[in-house]
Amino acid sequence: MLDERKVIILKAIVSNYLETGEPVGSRTISKLINLDLSPATIRNEMSDLEDMGYIVQPHTSAGRIPTDKGYRFYVDSMMSEKSEALVTQGALLERVDKLEALLKQVAKVLAYNTQYATMVTSPQLRNRQVKFIQLSQVDEDDLVAVIVVGDNVAKNRLIHVARSLGNEEVLKLNLLLNTFLTGASLNEINLELMQAMRRQAGDYADILESVFEGIVDAVHQAEEMQIYTSGTSNILKYDELSDVKKATALLETLEDKSGLESLIDETMKSDDQGSDGIQIYIGEEAPVQNMKDYSIVTSTYKLPEGAKGTIGIIGPKRMDYKKVVQTLKSLTDERDTIFGKDTTASEKNGPE
């Protein structure tokens, strides 16, 4: 635990470093805080903070800079304080007919307002449920399975069978599949359920294997995610992030959605658990390897039918956390206007 004096000094170090990007010395601290402390006393406190892992001296005779632990303390303290008045993101209220255009607009405005890189994912209905399955014969050796999941997303799969089936046999399989799987989510279609169905299917168990594969494919395709980015060139404005290899790795990560799954999953889980939806990852806390040199602030948004998406802001560790969090909170407050009314048209017309 830090005493009050150490807390004040640590916050002053982090705050000043966020603004300047330069190591902070005791003389600077003495001008920033309203405590009657001598430079020697401040240096002693800074030495204690360094021993505790909150700050570090980059080289001899330099001031101190925050460590990831120091940034974490600053962020946690900031988040626990009473939120300041939020600035309305008026530019986001422009009505947009297409959801894709809206998400790109959100990413662009956030990048402009924060001067960091931003990402916005397309909304996903997590754990889509199977609505119904229909097997039909194409010819003696092939069946077609129509699998409908979630909000009436239909996928077809052609299934080759080793032996021809009669109408009654196909009807029996349809009854079996829908009895067990209607209303089930992908997570609920587990080995135990499959084994129970195989016992019921008897001689037709091998056909079920192909149908299961079709269901998994259908759900995954329905949940295919798009990621819209903006402001990636903003990263190069910060000296500590201007390394070409690091910047390239970040760009590749933003383009490769599979590399962001862990970040998106953590954000969604936090929202599902009833938090305020905002998560902050500093340096090594980032669940994505190519983002270990950055700070990431994420939030969620929800469409009227329950689909959720993720918003992320990526910048240096000396990010203006207060501004970024306020920006995301403001976006959250306007969520019904932005992601409700503005997406009505695209929801009715469907993607193009």
Side-chain angles (χ1 to χ4, degrees):
M1 295 295 292
L2 300 180
D3 58 40
E4 183 178 358
R5 190 159 68 182
K6 286 186 176 62
V7 169
I8 293 173
I9 292 174
L10 176 57
K11 285 185 176 180
I13 292 172
V14 177
S15 178
N16 187 259
Y17 185 70
L18 292 176
E19 293 180 7
T20 67
E22 298 292 334
V24 186
S26 58
R27 186 179 298 276
T28 301
I29 294 300
S30 66
K31 297 176 181 179
L32 295 175
I33 60 177
N34 296 320
L35 296 178
D36 186 17
L37 300 176
S38 67
T41 300
I42 293 175
R43 285 194 293 271
N44 287 336
E45 294 288 3
M46 293 172 70
S47 179
D48 289 344
L49 288 169
E50 187 172 4
D51 290 341
M52 298 168 74
Y54 290 98
I55 57 177
V56 66
Q57 191 173 29
H59 51 82
T60 307
S61 300
R64 267 68 166 189
I65 65 175
T67 62
D68 287 2
K69 183 178 180 180
Y71 282 120
R72 170 51 57 193
F73 182 88
Y74 178 85
V75 167
D76 288 346
S77 297
M78 178 192 69
M79 296 291 284
S80 65
E81 295 173 357
K82 185 176 181 179
S83 299
E84 296 181 1
L86 303 177
V87 178
T88 300
Q89 302 294 309
L92 290 178
L93 297 178
E94 179 182 356
R95 298 186 66 82
V96 183
D97 290 336
K98 297 179 181 179
L99 179 59
E100 179 179 347
L102 172 61
L103 297 177
K104 289 179 179 178
Q105 175 82 346
V106 170
K108 184 177 180 180
V109 172
L110 288 176
Y112 177 81
N113 286 352
T114 63
Q115 290 299 295
Y116 301 126
T118 60
M119 54 165 273
V120 181
T121 72
S122 58
Q124 303 296 300
L125 275 171
R126 298 169 69 81
N127 295 329
R128 287 177 182 260
Q129 293 181 328
V130 176
K131 298 193 73 171
F132 69 89
I133 301 168
Q134 179 66 48
L135 291 180
S136 301
Q137 274 191 308
V138 177
D139 52 42
E140 291 184 356
D141 300 319
D142 297 291
L143 297 173
V144 63
V146 180
I147 304 155
V148 180
V149 296
D151 48 348
N152 294 326
V153 176
K155 298 295 178 180
N156 301 332
R157 184 179 179 90
L158 189 64
I159 300 171
H160 181 75
V161 293
R163 59 188 181 281
S164 60
L165 299 174
N167 291 335
E168 290 187 4
E169 294 168 313
V170 174
L171 180 61
K172 178 181 178 181
L173 283 173
N174 274 320
L175 180 61
L176 177 64
L177 287 166
N178 285 283
T179 298
F180 276 84
L181 299 181
T182 298
S185 67
L186 182 61
N187 292 336
E188 294 170 333
I189 303 175
N190 52 29
L191 181 60
E192 183 179 355
L193 180 62
M194 291 172 61
Q195 289 176 339
M197 290 185 65
R198 287 175 65 89
R199 289 193 294 269
Q200 291 287 332
D203 295 337
Y204 309 111
D206 56 335
I207 299 175
L208 287 180
E209 294 289 344
S210 296
V211 176
F212 280 134
E213 292 177 8
I215 293 171
V216 172
D217 287 347
V219 176
H220 280 312
Q221 289 177 30
E223 291 182 342
E224 188 174 357
M225 179 177 61
Q226 299 296 324
I227 296 178
Y228 308 99
T229 62
S230 186
T232 51
S233 61
N234 288 336
I235 293 297
L236 300 177
K237 296 178 181 179
Y238 303 93
D239 292 340
E240 64 267 41
L241 302 179
S242 60
D243 180 85
V244 175
K245 289 184 178 179
K246 291 180 180 179
T248 301
L250 176 63
L251 289 175
E252 291 176 349
T253 298
L254 291 175
E255 292 175 359
D256 179 15
K257 59 191 176 187
S258 62
L260 294 170
E261 287 180 353
S262 55
L263 174 65
I264 294 167
D265 284 343
E266 283 201 18
T267 302
M268 290 295 188
K269 287 177 182 177
S270 173
D271 186 68
D272 291 341
Q273 292 169 358
S275 71
D276 61 5
I278 293 180
Q279 292 293 299
I280 299 176
Y281 305 91
I282 300 170
E284 291 296 325
E285 296 175 354
V288 181
Q289 182 59 41
N290 286 341
M291 292 184 171
K292 298 293 186 181
D293 294 311
Y294 306 85
S295 281
I296 313 164
V297 184
T298 63
S299 183
T300 60
Y301 70 88
K302 182 185 294 184
L303 297 185
E305 79 279 7
K308 292 182 181 180
T310 298
I311 299 169
I313 298 177
I314 304 104
K317 294 178 184 177
R318 59 185 181 94
M319 172 187 286
D320 188 341
Y321 295 98
K322 184 175 293 186
K323 179 180 179 180
V324 169
V325 170
Q326 288 176 347
T327 299
L328 288 177
K329 283 183 176 292
S330 179
L331 180 63
T332 300
D333 288 348
E334 295 178 1
R335 180 172 53 192
D336 290 341
T337 302
I338 299 168
F339 294 112
K341 297 178 183 178
D342 283 338
T343 58
T344 302
S346 66
E347 287 167 15
K348 289 181 178 179
N349 297 332
E352 294 185 353

